[in-house]
C-alpha cells in the first residue's frame, strides 16, 4: 500500500499546526500572567488593598514560614504592606 504525497504532507503538517497553536496559547497565557503580576505590583505600590484583594483567586495560597489560604487570610497577612509606614515593596515581572 502506498501513501499519497498529499497524505504524507498532511501527516507532517498537522502536528506542526498543533505545536504552533500551543505556542500561541502559551504566549497568550504568559501575557495574561504578566499583566496580572503588574496589577498586583501596582496595587501594592498604590496601597490599594481592595485592588490587591480582587486580584487574588478565592482559593489562593501564599507560602512563607507557613501557608496562608484564601483571600481573607492573605490580605490579613499582607496588610502591613499597605499601611502608611509600610516597608517599600517593589517588583515587576
Amino acid at each position: 500500500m502506498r501513501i499519497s504525497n498529499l497524505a504524507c504532507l498532511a501527516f507532517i503538517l498537522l502536528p506542526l499546526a498543533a505545536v504552533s497553536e500551543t505556542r500561541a496559547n502559551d504566549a497568550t497565557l504568559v501575557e495574561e500572567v504578566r499583566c496580572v503580576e503588574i496589577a498586583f505590583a501596582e496595587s501594592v505600590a498604590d496601597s490599594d488593598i481592595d485592588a490587591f484583594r480582587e486580584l487574588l483567586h478565592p482559593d489562593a495560597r501564599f507560602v512563607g514560614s507557613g501557608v496562608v489560604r484564601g483571600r481573607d487570610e492573605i490580605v490579613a497577612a499582607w496588610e502591613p504592606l499597605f499601611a502608611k509606614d509600610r516597608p517599600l515593596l517593589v517588583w515587576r515581572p
Side-chain angles (χ1 to χ4, degrees):
M1 176 188 277
R2 187 172 168 188
I3 300 175
S4 74
N5 289 343
L6 185 56
C8 284
L9 185 60
F11 184 74
I12 292 168
L13 292 180
L14 284 175
L16 292 176
V19 167
S20 177
E21 183 177 335
T22 299
R23 286 187 181 152
N25 290 340
D26 287 350
T28 299
L29 182 58
V30 167
E31 185 59 22
E32 283 180 36
V33 170
R34 184 180 165 285
C35 288
V36 171
E37 188 63 26
I38 289 169
F40 266 114
E42 287 176 352
S43 71
V44 174
D46 296 341
S47 293
D48 189 345
I49 201 164
D50 294 326
F52 177 80
R53 185 181 199 294
E54 288 304 312
L55 289 164
L56 293 167
H57 187 278
D59 209 22
R61 300 210 181 355
F62 276 40
V63 179
S65 58
V67 179
V68 183
R69 294 176 173 86
R71 283 181 176 153
D72 293 336
E73 284 186 28
I74 294 169
V75 167
W78 279 62
E79 200 164 17
L81 298 173
F82 292 89
K84 284 186 179 184
D85 60 343
R86 69 184 190 204
L88 179 61
L89 178 63
V90 178
W91 78 91
R92 61 187 167 157

